[in-house]
């Protein structure tokens, strides 16, 4: 199936009278104030993709950037909990819905922010999920942002497809963990991104090691990190390697995850700043 055929098949506005050659990126409302849009995805669940998104947003905010998070994981949103945001009070202004702000000033829009109860179940089919993500782009007053991170649900389904085909992405960050199964699945995600001609900024290897709090010995619960192997096999650099860190859980449970210091993101942040300044050329030339 060609890229245009795939785009039309998944388009929520599809009708018998659609023009066969339409470009879905021209069908969405532009957001002139957003300088760089970065998707964060994973091939499977449980690798810490939302944790990476929240930590990275906090890291970039502490560097002085204006940052937002569009929570595209509609049926399993965790961004509000990780960043201490409680729902039920979404407001609207002349330019659209007003996103919540975290303590560091990160703007967040998530379906969970519409509910009083954070455990409210969202039982929707694919087209409704994809439509919600599109609305979070078009109908939210994001204002001026240096970076908008789009936290995608795991896998290669309707929502990732909608984001990769519809939003003006500057690139994708793919998160994986060291298990062989996760690496096999992350290659599927990479193949999807490349098939749709979206630039890949780099990998983040999460849960790569554990440092013993007693003796400082480095332990590998899931086997030795696979970053070098995956990078060699795919040609995509690993730009951050994160440990299993108990503070990620404790700070996330308190809604303070953005406050953690994560020097591991320094190289990734440098790449993101180059992408924002130079576009996709910063990816191909480095």
């Amino acid at each position: 199936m060609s890229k245009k055929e795939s785009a039309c098949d998944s388009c929520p506005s599809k009708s018998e009278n659609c023009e066969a050659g339409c470009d879905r990126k021209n069908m969405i409302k532009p957001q002139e104030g957003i300088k760089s849009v970065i998707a964060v995805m994973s091939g499977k669940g449980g690798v810490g993709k939302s944790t990476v998104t929240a930590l990275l947003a906090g890291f970039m905010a502490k560097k002085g950037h204006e940052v937002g998070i569009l929570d595209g994981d509609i049926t399993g949103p965790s961004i509000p909990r990780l960043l201490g945001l409680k729902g039920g009070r979404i407001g609207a202004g002349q330019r659209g819905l007003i996103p919540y702000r975290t303590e560091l000033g990160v703007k967040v829009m998530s379906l969970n922010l519409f509910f009083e109860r954070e455990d409210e179940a969202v039982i929707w089919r694919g087209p409704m999920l994809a439509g919600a993500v599109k609305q979070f782009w078009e109908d939210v007053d994001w204002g001026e942002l240096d970076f908008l991170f789009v936290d995608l649900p795991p896998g290669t389904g309707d929502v990732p497809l909608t984001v990769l085909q519809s939003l003006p992405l500057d690139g994708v960050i793919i998160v994986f963990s060291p298990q062989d199964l996760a690496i096999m699945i992350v290659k599927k995600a990479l193949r999807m991104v490349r098939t749709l001609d979206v630039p890949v900024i780099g990998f983040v290897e999460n849960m790569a090691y554990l440092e013993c709090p007693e003796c400082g010995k480095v332990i590998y619960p899931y086997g030795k990190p696979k970053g070098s192997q995956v990078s060699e096999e795919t040609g995509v650099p690993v730009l951050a390697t994160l440990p299993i860190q108990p503070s990620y859980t404790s700070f996330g449970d308190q809604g303070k995850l953005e406050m953690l210091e994560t020097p591991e993101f320094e190289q990734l942040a440098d790449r993101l700043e180059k992408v924002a300044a130079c576009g996709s050329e910063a990816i191909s030339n480095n």
Side-chain angles (χ1 to χ4, degrees):
M1 181 178 293
S2 71
K3 184 178 177 181
K4 284 186 179 178
E5 290 171 339
S6 177
C8 290
D9 287 344
S10 62
C11 178
S13 303
K14 181 181 178 182
S15 70
E16 293 182 0
N17 299 320
C18 284
E19 295 185 13
C22 76
D23 181 355
R24 287 190 64 191
K25 292 187 188 300
N26 293 329
M27 295 168 58
I28 64 170
K29 174 184 173 183
Q31 292 281 1
E32 301 296 339
I34 301 176
K35 296 179 182 178
S36 186
V37 185
I38 308 294
V40 183
M41 70 180 300
S42 64
K44 66 183 293 294
V47 299
K49 169 189 52 59
S50 295
T51 295
V52 168
T53 302
L55 288 169
L56 182 57
F59 188 90
M60 299 305 288
K62 282 179 277 193
K63 284 176 68 70
H65 295 291
E66 292 292 330
V67 180
I69 299 177
L70 190 163
D71 189 356
D73 196 348
I74 304 298
T75 60
S78 54
I79 291 294
R81 164 63 77 90
L82 294 173
L83 297 178
L85 303 176
K86 299 194 179 297
R89 303 186 306 277
I90 289 289
Q94 292 184 343
R95 298 177 59 186
L97 300 173
I98 300 173
Y100 278 38
R101 277 185 178 269
T102 69
E103 191 172 342
L104 284 179
V106 176
K107 297 179 181 178
V108 177
M109 181 54 66
S110 171
L111 193 65
N112 246 27
L113 297 177
F114 288 82
F115 303 135
E116 293 285 352
R117 292 181 47 173
E118 67 176 3
D119 60 353
E120 191 73 41
V122 178
I123 309 172
W124 293 353
R125 294 189 184 276
M128 290 185 67
L129 301 176
V133 172
K134 187 169 178 283
Q135 281 190 288
F136 284 171
W137 169 266
E138 292 185 322
D139 299 338
V140 173
D141 181 8
W142 290 107
E144 300 290 327
L145 292 179
D146 296 313
F147 296 97
L148 177 66
F149 295 108
V150 184
D151 184 40
L152 295 179
T156 56
D158 283 339
V159 172
L161 183 62
T162 294
V163 170
L164 292 173
Q165 291 181 322
S166 300
L167 268 59
L169 296 176
D170 291 284
V172 175
I173 296 167
I174 303 179
V175 182
F176 71 95
S177 55
Q179 305 99 313
D180 287 338
L181 174 61
I183 292 170
M184 183 266 290
I185 298 297
V186 81
K187 291 179 180 178
K188 292 179 180 288
L190 177 61
R191 186 177 294 275
M192 175 187 187
V193 174
R194 284 176 165 169
T195 298
L196 297 175
D197 296 325
V198 179
V200 182
I201 293 172
F203 289 132
V204 172
E205 184 171 15
N206 192 28
M207 300 184 283
Y209 60 92
L210 171 66
E211 197 169 299
C212 175
E214 299 291 334
C215 65
K217 180 181 179 181
V218 175
I219 304 167
Y220 303 104
Y222 301 120
K224 290 289 183 71
K226 303 289 198 309
S228 297
Q229 173 191 335
V230 175
S231 183
E232 183 177 340
E233 292 177 1
T234 62
V236 176
V238 176
L239 298 176
T241 301
L242 304 180
I244 297 173
Q245 181 62 265
S247 59
Y248 292 172
T249 301
S250 60
F251 274 65
D253 288 346
Q254 297 172 52
K256 301 285 187 181
L257 192 60
E258 64 179 345
M259 296 300 179
L260 274 176
E261 296 299 323
T262 48
E264 296 89 352
F265 280 127
E266 205 57 71
Q267 184 182 6
L268 177 55
D270 180 64
R271 179 65 64 93
L272 290 176
E273 289 171 338
K274 289 180 180 177
V275 169
C278 306
S280 59
E281 292 182 5
I283 300 173
S284 59
N285 294 336
N286 286 278

